[in-house]
Amino acid sequence: MFDHEIREAAEHVLELCRRKKLKVVTAESCTGGLIAAALTAIAGSSDVVDRAFVTYSNEAKREMIGVPWDAILGHGAVSEPVARAMAAGALARGNAQIAVSVTGVAGPGGGSAEKPVGLVHLAAQRAGFDAIVERHVFPGDRDHIRRLTVLTALAMVSNLAER
């Protein structure tokens, strides 16, 4: 289901988290659960993956993981403040030590001059550490943008797990 690069990145996350006895929660918008799916595609991942929130709509972001309306209305769903709030909310509502969140414009439509297709904000947070936040404008079509987002998110989780 997932290519070799994604599978390898997911296996690396699982190995690191097992070694450090860390669990992971995801909060996903533009990837629609693909980060969690990549992790859970590997047998035995239940000792690391706690849960996944697919918060595609603004209402879901608010209701499921507590993203403040102020962040959504003031900055838009695709923004650093919303990505940060998604990670913090997932961490607070899960039973995990690491959360990763993604929100973006995967296309082909929905982009604008300010927020073009390919724009993705990611945040990863580990309990007791500062969040890591990244902003990317990924090239390509919807599938490619989502693939690069999954790889980036997995790398961010690895980075936090190694601390």
Side-chain angles (χ1 to χ4, degrees), residues 2-160:
F2 292 99
D3 66 35
H4 178 73
E5 190 177 8
I6 289 176
R7 188 168 182 85
E8 198 171 84
E11 287 173 348
H12 182 67
V13 165
L14 294 172
E15 288 169 20
L16 279 172
C17 288
R18 280 188 188 109
R19 247 193 331 238
K20 303 270 185 130
K21 298 186 182 348
L22 298 169
K23 288 197 172 247
V24 175
V25 59
T26 68
E28 304 181 56
S29 187
C30 64
T31 50
L34 288 174
I35 300 163
L39 291 167
T40 60
I42 299 162
S45 59
S46 61
D47 61 345
V48 172
V49 179
D50 172 56
R51 67 192 74 194
F53 296 97
V54 177
T55 56
Y56 212 70
S57 71
N58 290 339
E59 290 78 15
K61 288 173 183 65
R62 187 177 70 72
E63 292 169 10
M64 294 173 68
I65 54 177
V67 174
W69 275 122
D70 290 351
I72 294 169
L73 296 175
H75 303 279
V78 179
S79 65
E80 179 183 323
V82 169
R84 282 182 183 273
M86 288 172 67
L91 197 58
R93 285 161 178 75
N95 186 23
Q97 297 74 41
I98 296 177
V100 64
S101 70
V102 298
T103 182
V105 184
S112 68
E114 290 178 356
K115 295 183 180 185
V117 169
L119 174 64
V120 180
H121 289 273
L122 304 96
Q125 188 171 352
R126 180 173 171 182
F129 293 86
D130 290 334
I132 299 171
V133 181
E134 295 189 14
R135 176 192 183 277
H136 295 274
V137 179
F138 292 122
D141 65 10
R142 183 178 182 83
D143 288 342
H144 191 66
I145 291 164
R146 287 165 39 116
R147 179 183 180 279
L148 293 174
T149 302
V150 169
L151 285 169
T152 303
L154 292 172
M156 292 171 74
V157 173
S158 291
N159 183 319
L160 284 179

